[in-house]
Amino acid sequence: MSKSIFLYLAAVTLFTVVLFRPFTLHLRDAVVNVIDPLFYAWNLQYNADVMEGKEKSAFDTNIFYPLTNTIAYSDTLWAQSLLATPIIWATGNAILAQNILIILSFVVSAGSMYLLLYYLTKHQAASFISALFFAFSYPRIAQIGHLPFLSSQWVPLVILYTLKFFDEGKTRSLLAAYIFYALATASSIYFGVFLTPMLCIVTLVQVCIWVSRNKQHILWNRLKTVGYLFIPFVLGFVLINLPYLRLMAEHPEYKRTLFDTYNLRALPIDYISVLPQSLLLTIGFPSAPPEHALYPTLILFFTSIIGTYKAWVGNKKLVLICVISGLTYLILSFGVEQTIFGRTIKMPYYYLFNAIPIFRAVRVPARFGLFVIFNLTILSSFALQQVFNRKYSLLKIFTVITLFLIEIWQIQTPFVRIPLRNTLPAVYTWLTNQPIQIVVAELPLRLFYTGRSMEGQLMKQYADLDEMDNYALETYRIYFSAFHKKRMINGYSGFFPESYNRLAETLEGFPSEFSIKALQDIGVTYAVVHIRQYENEKRGEITRVLAHSPLLTLSYSRGDDLVYTISKKK
């Protein structure tokens, strides 16, 4: 058994490398895009520095100075850092650490899903193959550049040990379910929300079964066990989510709106849409951006229907759980509203968003689609169990695998090469050697919504950026700060405080006296000005004003990168 699992995981690892080539041939210095992956590389490096004692605060990072608790502006990546930190310490390379985590997420997802399915079916081949349906589903493949949501490998283990606790009543199963739930939530706050409906449905179905069979004593025994661990569970949950709780207290303006979710809801066509690099695109399947590529594959769809029928006789409980959960997540993925036969209909998510605060943490309702596939995968395993128990099972296994691989095959995964420590732009090497207490402002800086669309910046090299590429400029700058470690006003995340937006708006007028004094007021030491990143017609005037400003003293000049010391406020 253990040998089979080892060989299986080795095969999954090899397949992952092949599927995502040529990106996987450049794990040391490449990312699949230059927005989120560069930000996550910085985040992993910062967490590693905290664990090593190089940074004083796990909450107050070096970005978005002078704001505090900035780790909470996006996912903390605390769970991912448990594995990434030793890799970073050993290699000094956060890009490599992140890319190894990306590969492992597919391997561990296949392994954890296998454990769940084997517990349910007791059939090794069916569990091995069905686990691939989840691990290599389109919602996961599409999120290869989004480490928090890609880290869904803990989800099957949460459900596995929840089911085991209800079946056996053992405290260790409940404890394991909570630990994996904590890891899932510490990987992405989304999973704390996404797991809630299914856990409620699992509990409700099980309670109804006990009550209908006059087994209320089992229910009370399970409740007693939960009661013993309730307070530790709550304390642990609060600790994991402390940055987010503090964020809501410090920034009451931090509220998702229904408008924020509107364009990120799933549409019916998304469930037959694939990625632009998918093989299926060549035979006419529609393509969609990552958040909207939710195609479950035909092999999964049809085997899940067969599995529903086959499992109903012997495992009604599980069929009820998966069917109810799958439909629930499908409806939730459609977000606030859908147009049906020309009429706009408010969807249940609209009412949940307004009534239950936890749903306001979700900016991308389409991501509920992963849990649709999760439930289909469980049902599919029962169909494969029946199919593989009959004649010609090896031929059937080969056929199922081949059809699935054709449906998910990616022609190529694009990537961008990223500078490492020894190839950084010279100005960042200079900053590395400056006193740690300095504060930096990198310019040009402008409000995010005033530049090019994020999609147009995803694959740009640093040397090709200009001030309109404001997303990519900031993520590169944040990534470079992982080397020089200096506090900076610049930042990128899923949340931008009003004070940051006001400052960015002011700095669009840099180097006006008003903008320089705004930097003075918050204690900025150096203005790092990248002249080349300004539009051509602005460069001469900006250079002239910089040279004559009484508030600035040139401290460094190389190529188009200038560093000015800002005089202290009198």
Side-chain angles (χ1 to χ4, degrees), residues 60-80:
D60 305 330
T61 69
N62 67 304
I63 65 173
F64 287 119
Y65 176 87
L67 300 171
T68 58
N69 192 36
T70 47
I71 194 70
Y73 293 2
S74 188
D75 289 299
T76 62
L77 299 190
W78 284 350
Q80 291 89 337

Side-chain angles (χ1 to χ4, degrees), residues 547-566:
H548 292 87
S549 173
L551 302 175
L552 302 174
T553 303
L554 184 63
S555 297
Y556 172 89
S557 175
R558 182 165 178 175
D560 292 321
D561 291 330
L562 309 174
V563 181
Y564 288 89
T565 300
I566 300 175

Side-chain angles (χ1 to χ4, degrees), residues 310-342:
K310 294 293 185 181
W312 181 252
V313 175
N315 206 331
K316 289 184 176 65
K317 179 182 82 171
L318 197 67
V319 171
L320 285 172
I321 289 171
C322 291
V323 170
I324 296 171
S325 295
L327 290 173
T328 298
Y329 286 116
L330 177 65
I331 293 169
L332 289 174
S333 73
F334 290 141
V336 295
E337 63 183 38
Q338 291 288 318
T339 301
I340 302 173
F341 300 118

Side-chain angles (χ1 to χ4, degrees), residues 372-404:
V372 176
I373 289 176
F374 176 77
N375 284 281
L376 291 178
T377 299
I378 295 174
L379 294 171
S380 173
S381 66
F382 288 98
L384 297 188
Q385 177 190 24
Q386 296 293 320
V387 170
F388 297 159
N389 276 338
R390 299 178 181 179
K391 289 183 179 181
Y392 310 111
S393 60
L394 287 178
L395 177 60
K396 293 171 182 175
I397 290 172
F398 176 79
T399 302
V400 169
I401 292 176
T402 301
L403 291 174
F404 178 67

Side-chain angles (χ1 to χ4, degrees), residues 98-119:
Q98 177 180 205
N99 289 338
I100 289 174
L101 261 60
I102 288 172
I103 301 299
L104 286 178
S105 76
F106 289 93
V107 179
V108 179
S109 289
S112 63
M113 195 69 190
Y114 163 78
L115 293 176
L116 170 60
L117 298 178
Y118 186 76
Y119 175 74

